[in-house]
Amino acid sequence: MSRLTHFDKKGAAHMVDVGDKDVTERQATAAATVRMAPETLKLIQQGDAKKGDVPGVARIAGIMAAKKTADLIPLCHPLALSNVTVDFLIHEADNAIEVRASCKLKGRTGVEMEALTAASIAALTIYDMCKAVDRSMVIADTRLLEKSGGKSGTYKA
Amino acid sequence: MSRLTHFDKKGAAHMVDVGDKDVTERQATAAATVRMAPETLKLIQQGDAKKGDVPGVARIAGIMAAKKTADLIPLCHPLALSNVTVDFLIHEADNAIEVRASCKLKGRTGVEMEALTAASIAALTIYDMCKAVDRSMVIADTRLLEKSGGKSGTYKA
Amino acid sequence: MSRLTHFDKKGAAHMVDVGDKDVTERQATAAATVRMAPETLKLIQQGDAKKGDVPGVARIAGIMAAKKTADLIPLCHPLALSNVTVDFLIHEADNAIEVRASCKLKGRTGVEMEALTAASIAALTIYDMCKAVDRSMVIADTRLLEKSGGKSGTYKA
Amino acid sequence: MSRLTHFDKKGAAHMVDVGDKDVTERQATAAATVRMAPETLKLIQQGDAKKGDVPGVARIAGIMAAKKTADLIPLCHPLALSNVTVDFLIHEADNAIEVRASCKLKGRTGVEMEALTAASIAALTIYDMCKAVDRSMVIADTRLLEKSGGKSGTYKA
Amino acid sequence: MSRLTHFDKKGAAHMVDVGDKDVTERQATAAATVRMAPETLKLIQQGDAKKGDVPGVARIAGIMAAKKTADLIPLCHPLALSNVTVDFLIHEADNAIEVRASCKLKGRTGVEMEALTAASIAALTIYDMCKAVDRSMVIADTRLLEKSGGKSGTYKA
Amino acid sequence: MSRLTHFDKKGAAHMVDVGDKDVTERQATAAATVRMAPETLKLIQQGDAKKGDVPGVARIAGIMAAKKTADLIPLCHPLALSNVTVDFLIHEADNAIEVRASCKLKGRTGVEMEALTAASIAALTIYDMCKAVDRSMVIADTRLLEKSGGKSGTYKA
């Protein structure tokens, strides 16, 4: 008794039919947290547009990745996102940077995967730019913070 | 005193010049762990090619994502990967599936980002296929397990 | 007296203007048949999620290809597909696997090319996975089975 | 006793490791034949750069598709193709256009899939440009004509 | 006192929220002019579908590039273009070819970037095809000629 | 008597065969200049990582575009670039920003198109970010500044 909607009765994966869903305003916010050595965080914090802006590059990577979600996640629908933002919270006590990505759409299906993809790729970009000094960084807790719109309503983590 | 090699002396991001590095065999393995509700794990375990093969779909997504890494991570080099594998370990006690992705290359730069991207996208694909039954899944501990080859030598987490 | 709508009066190729067409429910189904040696078909049939699931991989390739149609066929419009399915019929007497791909859209233009692209790429993926044992496989009869919606109405092969 | 090299012993799909294969000159030629109504073929034959050059557009689509093969076929390796050509043979007696695509590479794995993908997408582009006048066109006999280079040597259909 | 709408109050780049804008008919036309040696222009003019159709190839490149705009320009929205045309004006006195690209959309945001991207990539394709005979070609005056639709109304250069 | 190497004797476009060319170090630098209103330039100059870093975003767009060149320019070869840089020169007297993009490769064909594509897309990204305040910006003089390596040797504009 499968309840996984991405498979039909015979177990075949498919892109779920959303043609009959209502066009509503849908939004989602996801987070991913990059934990690192204290000196790595300091290097990032010292940077700016003049000395190397790690979050600036990671933000662009995250925004562009949101637009590629349907190209990456096999059963996602192509979506005409109306808004994408990617922000960063520094958690100094934890030597961590939290990526927060939000997406919006007026459409027939939710944008959770777009927000999660943006947060994941922004976090991986931070890893890429700092890996020469710190290979042991960990991306912890990639997850959905909240979503709203659509038949399943509002979710908050 | 920046040591972040992805920025030049003026702080401008750039694709690091790898033209003078040796062509050597390079490999990397990365992991990402999807934690979920016990019933979600059971649904996935019951599945197969007949009833819905979640890991089978996630594996293909991960392999294809490894090939898109340079398209996703702004300063990564385009690489002619010679091998990509994606595997899954079930951790029943933790209600978790661990994705393990390995990449290989005979080339001038490492494949850590390719392995990390494959693991991340495979994990996000698991999330996508199960989110209708469990929105609170968390992708924990995306990280590099080991890499070898190249001037910086071998790393083990 | 050209009737090929993808060219203007001077013979220049263009993306046909569909801005004034109605938004209607449109769907299309296409097929492609892979003929092979009897032993190749047997190898595929013995496979499953445990021993190598050829149709499972080909299905994902077909679904993802449907989403790339506008990137592949120069004059196709980018479309927000609402549904894609790819299925397989085994024709044992003919030593053949028939791929059937269906696409749906609420939009201004038809989805025939999306269904044909999904079927073609799924068929090529079967070829790829089996070519080490059988290079003489042939993809026969890639064609539109039916389409509905839009001004030109319903077509059945 | 699986002999399908794209699966490991546990049945998991993977990108086959080609790192130890020799770098040799490899080439492949594939064909796909588009059968159509006699009037459709006439329309195409009357066209040229001034009145609508169907093969000219299809050729570009095929060449560009060869470069996307690794993005389309899940287990294909990304390859640095050194040469791609796409040509067209008119078979008037059969009311058909045969697409012939050839690819070359100095590399570690063959280019059969690149040639087959180029031929398939060129054929689909012909279909797209003529479908408004002839929906019943069929792409028959997409297949490998020959390949050479590499350990498995030369193949001729 | 920044008025650059692609940054928020803290200076972070973001994809501007267009969710509350009206769906209207929007169109834009852009141009780019390739200046070259007189003999280069002659070579191009002698060409046709039989002897090498430079504008024919450049047109397809421009049309396909319009569809990739959101993939290239970081903060552009993905758009379902309803129409793309690319044309060429020969300016013999100036030894120049002017590319003109027009895009249309029924949607929530303008298509200026799509028209500019189509014109730029068509011009670069002309450069690519002729660079073996003339490396000193210059693409001059890439600019918006006009746009209409949306709240900011009509613009004419 | 065509000398355009991208066409064969029958006038068919093709990807030129570079398989027999030597693997040498190749590099190219291209420029594109964005002319704008004086106030637009001031707005850009006031920006930084805190208030909106236009060149920072344009640089990433240019670097990522260099990697997509073979996807955009139909007859370009896919290349494993070893280095990409994008820089900006402010020409205050001219109210202009000059983009300079350099690419490097150890390979069989030149990287002029990669440098030109990077410069063009970086310039278009500047246009995109400033177009709400200045639609009349012009991208002037997109051209090759120099290239070296390969049989045709060194070129300087």
Side-chain angles (χ1 to χ4, degrees), chain C residues 4-152:
Chain C
L4 295 179
T5 52
H6 281 87
F7 296 102
D8 66 16
K9 285 169 197 166
K10 293 175 297 177
H14 61 153
M15 234 170 84
V16 175
D17 193 349
V18 299
D20 292 331
K21 292 191 182 184
D22 291 331
V23 172
T24 65
E25 169 108 1
R26 292 155 193 273
Q27 79 91 22
T29 300
T33 299
V34 191
R35 297 186 196 286
M36 58 191 76
E39 313 82 64
T40 310
L41 184 59
K42 251 174 230 140
L43 271 174
I44 294 175
Q45 286 180 292
Q46 286 162 9
D48 60 18
K50 292 289 174 298
K51 293 206 287 178
D53 178 15
V54 172
V57 177
R59 177 181 285 119
I60 297 302
I63 291 172
M64 294 184 86
K67 296 189 273 184
K68 284 185 215 284
T69 303
D71 216 34
L72 293 167
I73 311 294
L75 306 177
C76 274
H77 296 82
L79 298 182
L81 293 170
S82 61
N83 181 224
V84 183
T85 62
V86 175
D87 283 304
F88 301 93
L89 306 176
I90 308 282
H91 298 299
E92 282 199 47
D94 297 332
N95 296 309
I97 299 181
E98 182 184 346
V99 185
R100 292 218 173 171
S102 294
C103 297
K104 271 195 208 168
L105 170 78
K106 274 216 172 97
R108 289 194 171 82
T109 187
V111 291
E112 295 98 312
M113 294 315 301
E114 284 68 17
L116 282 162
T117 301
S120 296
I121 297 298
L124 287 172
T125 300
I126 292 175
Y127 186 97
D128 180 48
M129 302 186 85
C130 301
K131 71 180 188 295
V133 299
D134 184 0
R135 276 210 171 71
S136 62
M137 285 174 287
V138 170
I139 302 173
D141 288 332
T142 304
R143 66 206 166 101
L144 184 66
L145 294 184
E146 57 171 330
K147 70 124 218 156
S148 64
K151 208 171 131 195
S152 70

Side-chain angles (χ1 to χ4, degrees), chain A residues 32-68:
Chain A
T33 299
V34 190
R35 297 184 197 285
M36 58 192 75
E39 313 82 63
T40 311
L41 184 59
K42 249 173 233 142
L43 271 174
I44 294 175
Q45 286 181 294
Q46 285 163 9
D48 59 19
K50 292 289 174 299
K51 293 206 288 179
D53 178 16
V54 172
V57 178
R59 176 181 287 119
I60 297 303
I63 292 173
M64 293 183 87
K67 296 188 273 185
K68 284 184 214 285

Side-chain angles (χ1 to χ4, degrees), chain C residues 124 127, chain D residues 26-32 62-63 65-69 73 76 79 81 83-87 99-104 110-123 142-147:
Chain C
L124 287 172
Y127 186 97
Chain D
R26 293 154 193 271
Q27 78 91 22
T29 300
I63 292 172
K67 297 189 272 185
K68 285 185 214 283
T69 303
I73 311 294
C76 274
L79 298 181
L81 294 170
N83 181 224
V84 183
T85 61
V86 175
D87 284 303
V99 186
R100 291 217 174 174
S102 293
C103 296
K104 271 196 207 167
V111 291
E112 295 99 310
M113 293 316 299
E114 282 70 17
L116 283 161
T117 301
S120 297
I121 298 297
T142 304
R143 68 210 166 98
L144 184 66
L145 293 184
E146 57 172 328
K147 69 124 219 159

Side-chain angles (χ1 to χ4, degrees), chain E residues 6-7 10-11 50 52-53 71 73 75 112-113 116 124 127-129 135-136 139 141-142 144 155, chain F residues 6-7 10-11 50 52-53 68 73 75 112-113 116 124 127-129 135-136 139 141-142 144 155:
Chain E
H6 281 87
F7 297 102
K10 292 175 298 178
K50 292 287 174 299
D53 179 15
D71 216 34
I73 311 293
L75 305 177
E112 296 99 311
M113 293 316 300
L116 283 161
L124 287 171
Y127 186 97
D128 181 47
M129 301 187 85
R135 276 211 172 69
S136 61
I139 302 172
D141 289 332
T142 305
L144 184 66
Y155 166 87
Chain F
H6 281 87
F7 296 102
K10 292 175 298 178
K50 292 289 176 298
D53 179 14
K68 284 186 214 284
I73 311 293
L75 306 177
E112 296 99 312
M113 293 316 300
L116 282 162
L124 287 172
Y127 186 97
D128 180 47
M129 302 186 85
R135 276 211 171 71
S136 61
I139 302 173
D141 288 332
T142 304
L144 184 66
Y155 166 86

Side-chain angles (χ1 to χ4, degrees), chain B residues 37-109:
Chain B
E39 311 83 63
T40 310
L41 184 59
K42 249 173 234 141
L43 271 175
I44 295 174
Q45 288 181 293
Q46 287 163 6
D48 59 18
K50 291 288 175 302
K51 292 206 287 178
D53 178 16
V54 172
V57 177
R59 176 181 287 118
I60 297 303
I63 291 172
M64 294 183 87
K67 297 188 273 186
K68 284 185 214 284
T69 303
D71 216 33
L72 293 168
I73 311 293
L75 305 177
C76 274
H77 295 81
L79 298 181
L81 295 170
S82 60
N83 181 223
V84 182
T85 61
V86 174
D87 284 303
F88 301 93
L89 305 176
I90 307 282
H91 298 299
E92 281 198 46
D94 297 333
N95 296 309
I97 298 180
E98 183 184 345
V99 185
R100 293 216 172 173
S102 293
C103 296
K104 270 195 209 168
L105 172 77
K106 274 215 172 98
R108 290 194 169 85
T109 187

